[in-house]
Amino acid sequence: MEYTVAAHGKRISRIVFIGLLLDILSFTIILPLLPRSLEAYKEREGADASTLLGTLLAHIAHLRAYVQAHSPSRFLQQGARADLVLLGGLLGSLYSLLQCVIAPVIGRAADRFGRRRTLMYCMAGNIVWTVIWVFAGSFESFLLARVIAGLSEGNVQLSNTIIADVTDRATRSHGMALVGIAFAVGFTLGPSIGAFFARMPIESTNSRNVFAFAPFAAAAVFSLALLLAESLYLFVKLPETMHFRRSLADSNETADSGTEDTETADSGTKDTETAEPLAGPTHAVDTQSTAENNRTLRRLNILHFAYLFFFSGMEYTLTFLTHDKFNFSNAQQGALLGFIGVTSTVLQGGWVRRIKGKSAHGDKGLVARGMACCAIGLACVAHCAKGVQGAGPAWTLWGGALGFAVASATVVNCLNSMVSLATADLETGRRLGDFRAAGQIGRALGPVFACSVYWLLGPSTCYAVGAAAVAAISVAFVTLVPARPAVSSTKKHS
């Protein structure tokens, strides 16, 4: 029985990893193209006050003029070029705000209807938004695509839930590391793929045509192909995992009913849903443990929000910084993001996987180190942003990218592992959904906050604020969160 559970769990984890890798590749293709995509839409329709983009840019220009009149800023002296940074922040925050709204819904749907069915619905939404992106000849169409994308992207959340279903407490951290590796590889290859396909000009100049191609439409077509391949693969290969251990136990008992009592005893630590809470002191300990875990989960949600509020905002502005300050091409943007991805992949496959789950302080230590490196990296970017406009980037830009890579390899996936280990089995979807929602609130507010500070005070001040804030969050994490909360032995029935 134990071998069967482990073997099936590893097989399903591999399926989830491959599917998630395809999804992250598709998701990251657009990242290096976003600044120049907004420039392309601006050239097409930015001067037309009858369009949504023209209206937005006019309001931002009025706000810029007001700010300059009362508090002059060297960055805002660039004029309309600076406005794209704020517009990009608004667009990024809208996507994450929608993710925040939908994440709890996806988590509860996964607990009620099953992981596989919910994931396939998400894949359908992903395909729809990418088709709209291909033909997004106008900014309005592109905005509609991003709205649908924000309401459909549940793959990461559901992948974490499925891996939590098929792993036990001893292997949970290693399973969750697969999600981090998929992210790292995706962020390594996806931006470079996007930059490569951006060289293929199939976009249309007539945005009034319903089927006009978007800027860099070739990249959108390849992203669509990846999603179609992922959907087919998951439909064929991925089983339902909501009652994974109970199903294997039932199958094992049917095949060998003569050893039913022995199997039940051996699997007791793996299928605790059927265990009744003990009376007396043990039950009191379980109740206390549950209260402590709930308190820890609330703290993790708050810290997750705070961390992603600053990290995602600073990360989001990075491509705008290199575009505005150093005039990076799509290929150079892809190279920078690729460096972050490659470094994160190496760290995930080597350092992180060796430490995770080895001791009670493994996950907590990785999170603390990742946050510290993030703070140092942001300080490096703040120093780099002081450079002369149009000059080449200093070495501190790559130092900042290294800090981002360490943070990407450690913080979020180790926090996911800590949450899943503090959660009863049948609550995994809901708890991870709530945890992700807290993070998505940070992702929703972070880009618009960071881009506003960038827009008002300039990039150096923006990244200095981020560095100080992440350093404070890392101190709070080390102080307030225990290394490994113990789950109550009482499991809830659905």
Side-chain angles (χ1 to χ4, degrees):
M1 171 63 180
E2 186 173 344
Y3 172 77
T4 303
V5 170
H8 280 265
K10 287 182 179 179
R11 182 179 66 84
I12 293 174
S13 295
R14 286 195 296 269
I15 293 171
V16 170
F17 170 77
I18 293 172
L20 185 60
L21 176 59
L22 293 173
D23 189 75
I24 299 300
L25 285 172
S26 174
F27 170 80
T28 54
I29 281 175
I30 195 175
L31 296 183
L33 311 179
L34 188 57
R36 293 189 182 275
S37 292
L38 293 179
E39 274 196 342
Y41 285 121
K42 180 183 175 183
E43 290 175 3
R44 291 184 184 183
E45 55 193 273
D48 187 353
S50 66
T51 64
L52 176 62
L53 180 59
T55 302
L56 288 173
L57 289 175
H59 285 301
I60 293 175
H62 290 150
L63 178 61
R64 170 167 43 82
Y66 176 82
V67 172
Q68 278 290 84
H70 292 80
S71 179
S73 166
R74 285 192 304 169
F75 178 70
L76 293 184
Q77 289 174 3
Q78 298 182 69
R81 181 180 176 88
D83 295 345
L84 289 179
V85 175
L86 186 59
L87 180 62
L90 293 171
L91 198 61
S93 287
L94 173 64
Y95 176 88
S96 295
L97 179 63
L98 294 169
Q99 284 273 280
C100 164
V101 171
I102 204 66
V105 177
I106 291 175
R108 284 157 176 77
D111 285 344
R112 181 175 180 182
F113 302 111
R115 304 3 176 163
R116 184 180 185 275
R117 180 187 297 184
T118 306
L119 181 57
M120 296 314 299
Y121 282 134
C122 290
M123 290 306 306
N126 286 334
I127 290 171
V128 169
W129 90 258
T130 311
V131 170
I132 296 175
W133 177 26
V134 172
F135 298 105
S138 67
F139 178 76
E140 288 90 341
S141 299
F142 182 72
L143 183 62
L144 174 63
R146 296 305 292 167
V147 168
I148 298 174
L151 294 173
S152 303
E153 183 53 61
N155 300 56
V156 176
Q157 173 183 341
L158 291 169
S159 295
N160 281 319
T161 303
I162 292 170
I163 288 177
D165 287 340
V166 302
T167 56
D168 56 25
R169 292 176 61 80
T171 60
R172 183 73 48 80
S173 294
H174 293 287
M176 292 294 180
L178 290 175
V179 175
I181 292 173
F183 260 94
V185 175
F187 272 85
T188 299
L189 301 178
S192 299
I193 292 172
F196 173 78
F197 280 98
R199 302 173 184 175
M200 302 180 183
I202 65 171
E203 59 266 16
S204 307
T205 56
N206 181 15
S207 62
R208 301 295 184 184
N209 187 344
V210 175
F211 295 103
F213 288 116
F216 313 116
V221 170
F222 187 76
S223 179
L224 177 61
L226 289 175
L227 289 174
L228 290 171
E230 179 191 359
S231 299
L232 180 61
Y233 176 76
L234 293 175
F235 182 80
V236 173
K237 294 288 189 180
L238 183 66
E240 179 54 59
T241 63
M242 186 163 58
H243 300 295
F244 173 74
R245 296 182 182 281
R246 184 179 302 170
S247 299
L248 286 181
D250 292 342
S251 175
N252 189 72
E253 289 172 5
T254 301
D256 190 7
S257 59
T259 60
E260 181 176 356
D261 292 339
T262 303
E263 293 287 21
T264 302
D266 290 341
S267 62
T269 59
K270 291 185 173 60
D271 190 13
T272 56
E273 288 86 357
T274 60
E276 296 295 332
L278 297 178
T282 302
H283 179 60
V285 170
D286 287 343
T287 302
Q288 182 181 4
S289 176
T290 300
E292 291 176 356
N293 283 347
N294 288 337
R295 184 164 53 252
T296 297
L297 288 169
R298 285 193 296 270
R299 289 176 178 175
L300 286 171
N301 286 347
I302 293 171
L303 290 168
H304 189 214
F305 157 78
Y307 170 74
L308 285 183
F309 176 83
F310 290 100
F311 175 76
S312 66
M314 303 302 149
E315 182 185 47
Y316 190 84
T317 59
L318 186 61
T319 55
F320 288 92
L321 169 69
T322 54
H323 172 69
D324 167 65
K325 195 79 174 178
F326 308 119
N327 198 30
F328 269 25
S329 65
N330 289 328
Q332 288 173 308
Q333 299 278 30
L336 177 64
L337 297 177
F339 169 77
I340 295 174
V342 168
T343 307
S344 182
T345 302
V346 172
L347 292 173
Q348 281 278 357
W351 176 51
V352 175
R353 280 181 66 85
R354 283 201 303 269
I355 295 177
K356 285 190 70 172
K358 295 297 185 183
S359 70
H361 298 276
D363 289 337
K364 181 178 180 179
L366 286 171
V367 172
R369 294 168 196 168
M371 288 182 176
C373 288
C374 178
I376 295 172
L378 290 172
C380 288
V381 177
H383 181 271
C384 174
K386 293 180 179 179
V388 179
Q389 184 80 21
W395 65 268
T396 48
L397 175 65
W398 298 98
L402 178 61
F404 278 23
V406 176
S408 298
T410 55
V411 178
V412 174
N413 71 307
C414 290
L415 286 174
N416 271 303
S417 178
M418 294 179 72
V419 170
S420 68
L421 287 170
T423 301
D425 290 347
L426 295 184
E427 290 185 320
T428 303
R430 179 173 70 87
R431 291 295 195 181
L432 287 174
D434 292 345
F435 176 75
R436 181 169 174 79
Q440 290 306 127
I441 295 174
R443 286 190 182 277
L445 301 177
V448 71
F449 168 79
C451 288
S452 297
V453 175
Y454 188 119
W455 189 71
L456 290 169
L457 304 176
S460 182
T461 301
C462 174
Y463 285 97
V465 169
V470 172
I473 293 166
S474 66
V475 173
F477 171 79
V478 172
T479 304
L480 298 176
V481 177
R484 181 71 58 86
V487 173
S488 167
S489 61
T490 302
K491 299 292 184 180
K492 296 185 179 181
H493 292 276
S494 55

